[in-house]
Amino acid sequence: MLRGGGNRTGAVERRVRRDRTAPLGRRLTLRLPVALIVIGLVFDLATPARYTAAPFFAAAPLVAAPLYSLWATAGTALAAVVSDLLLAVYHGVEDYQQSATEVSTVVVVALLALVINRVVRTGEARLASERDVSEAAQRAVLPAPPARLAGLAIAARYVGARAGARIGGDLYAVQDTPHGVRMLVGDVRGKGLEAVEAAVVVVGAFREAAEQEATLEAVAYRLERALQREGGRRAGLEEQEGFATAVLAEIPAGDRSLLRVLNRGHPPPLLLTPEGGLRELVPSTAALPLGLGDLGGRPDRSDETFLPAGALLFLFTDGVTEARDRDGRFYDPCARLRGSWFSGPDDLLDVVVEDVARHTRGGPADDMALVAVQRPLGT
């Protein structure tokens, strides 16, 4: 059972605590190059002269190369070379050829470490630049909704996958319309720029249709047509298989106790009550994802449910449910959140993001789009 903090300060404190405890292994790794030089000195002084500590001195700059800056790597390399030279002088040089070979080996490896450092840092800079561009584009496509909208408390979050994973097509949108507050959370098939382009199309179509259409079924139809048009302009596989799972939700303007949900092949939203109860809003009728409507014969149908005062509606993409731990077990939001209490939407999302990171030991392998909406008490 998880317990949310009472306010945003509690979430910050949880993050600080995690930052202090999680990177213990990294802190030890950062000390390894210095430890190798110290071990080399102790080994050389504690063993007969015929034994050499050159492997320790050669390993130190190689270990430092991917971990340290260029200047720190150069300092480690210099310390390793100087240590090897000082030990040669200390013991007295009996075999000049062997001593020269050992020192030359350490020097060559040290120079190689500097080259490796430059390659690694250049790659990291390129990756950081690409992620900055991706994050800027993500913020433009998925702007954060206001904290309060039409009397409801709102929070939304996009959490990128851990380094090395390609950007995906997870999306969300929250909008106050003449028909009530409407929400969309979805996941476009595939990765890369094509998925992001399709996500832009879906979000744009939703913002227009949510204002104009009287029902969620009509909004879903507009999204279906928009995604099919997007697929029609593509060639090959994407034209035949492009689709997006999505869940649409609506809290009508005239009745805050009513919640409508329409699910198109997406993970079911969760409804968390102030008493710690949890309901999975499984659709009464299964439906195909957006873009595949022509393959199915059943029309869309939304489900209605009671939304208690103080309850939290939680919508998310499969980056949450498909997050695995080291043993391959999936993250189960129902089991993790049932019986928990949260002070509001932001607190719920903070706890989920932190708990998924803890479950996967570092972060999910897929992006996550999260939306939480709360009907405040007394409304």
Side-chain angles (χ1 to χ4, degrees):
M1 183 176 68
L2 301 175
R3 290 290 178 189
N7 50 39
R8 290 307 300 263
T9 302
V12 172
E13 289 175 351
R14 287 195 300 272
R15 284 195 293 270
V16 170
R17 229 173 15 249
R18 181 189 64 202
D19 292 340
R20 287 175 179 171
T21 58
L24 176 60
R26 177 169 175 79
R27 292 203 303 270
L28 294 175
T29 303
L30 290 174
R31 294 184 174 92
L32 183 57
V34 176
L36 285 169
I37 294 176
V38 173
I39 292 172
L41 290 169
V42 173
F43 176 85
D44 191 275
L45 295 173
T47 58
R50 65 179 181 273
Y51 294 99
T52 176
F56 294 101
F57 299 135
L62 280 180
V63 174
L67 300 175
Y68 291 177
S69 66
L70 177 61
W71 289 108
T73 301
T76 303
L78 180 62
V81 173
V82 170
S83 297
D84 199 31
L85 286 171
L86 290 176
L87 287 174
V89 173
Y90 173 79
H91 289 297
V93 178
E94 297 180 359
D95 187 341
Y96 287 96
Q97 185 176 4
Q98 181 180 352
S99 297
T101 300
E102 292 177 0
V103 173
S104 298
T105 299
V106 176
V107 170
V108 170
V109 173
L111 293 175
L112 179 61
L114 295 178
V115 174
I116 294 174
N117 178 271
R118 292 302 299 162
V119 172
V120 171
R121 293 294 165 251
T122 300
E124 288 181 348
R126 185 181 300 112
L127 178 61
S129 177
E130 291 175 354
R131 291 194 69 86
D132 287 344
V133 171
S134 298
E135 290 174 1
Q138 206 73 56
R139 286 192 296 269
V141 175
L142 307 177
R148 296 194 69 84
L149 196 63
L152 300 171
I154 310 286
R157 201 76 50 82
Y158 189 97
V159 181
R162 57 177 171 246
R166 297 177 63 195
I167 185 172
D170 292 39
L171 58 95
Y172 66 78
V174 182
Q175 193 163 327
D176 186 16
T177 75
H179 314 285
V181 174
R182 286 177 166 174
M183 295 146 272
L184 165 70
V185 170
D187 187 1
V188 174
R189 171 192 172 273
K191 298 287 184 182
L193 290 178
E194 287 188 340
V196 175
E197 290 172 1
V200 172
V201 170
V202 173
V203 171
F206 170 80
R207 295 203 179 281
E208 181 179 1
E211 291 284 339
Q212 299 174 353
E213 302 296 344
T215 66
L216 285 184
E217 290 81 359
V219 174
Y221 177 78
R222 291 274 292 272
L223 301 187
E224 175 86 29
R225 300 309 302 168
L227 196 55
Q228 288 180 346
R229 286 194 301 271
E230 172 69 8
R233 73 177 182 82
R234 302 184 185 187
L237 184 65
E238 287 297 330
E239 182 178 356
Q240 300 299 323
E241 298 187 11
F243 63 86
T245 65
V247 60
L248 296 144
E250 173 188 270
I251 301 175
D255 187 358
R256 293 294 185 225
S257 65
L258 178 63
L259 170 66
R260 296 190 181 100
V261 177
L262 190 153
N263 196 317
R264 294 292 298 268
H266 199 77
L270 303 181
L271 186 63
L272 294 85
T273 64
E275 299 79 19
L278 183 147
R279 284 182 55 201
E280 190 176 19
L281 302 181
V282 178
S284 58
T285 303
L288 293 172
L290 297 172
L292 300 180
D294 291 344
L295 302 179
R298 293 183 178 180
D300 285 319
R301 189 178 74 180
S302 61
D303 296 306
E304 295 186 353
T305 188
F306 175 65
L307 181 64
L312 280 160
L313 173 66
F314 179 38
L315 306 97
F316 50 89
T317 56
D318 60 9
V320 175
T321 54
E322 294 185 0
R324 298 176 185 239
D325 63 12
R326 292 182 176 178
D327 297 324
R329 291 187 295 262
F330 291 107
Y331 182 83
D332 184 357
C334 293
R336 305 288 290 190
L337 300 177
R338 181 174 281 110
S340 301
W341 176 86
F342 304 95
S343 63
D346 274 308
D347 189 38
L348 169 60
L349 298 191
D350 284 340
V351 170
V352 170
V353 170
E354 182 178 327
D355 198 41
V356 169
R358 188 184 302 112
H359 180 77
T360 59
R361 301 292 180 90
D366 196 7
D367 295 353
M368 301 187 301
L370 314 168
V371 170
V373 179
Q374 183 178 42
R375 177 192 169 195
L377 294 169
T379 62

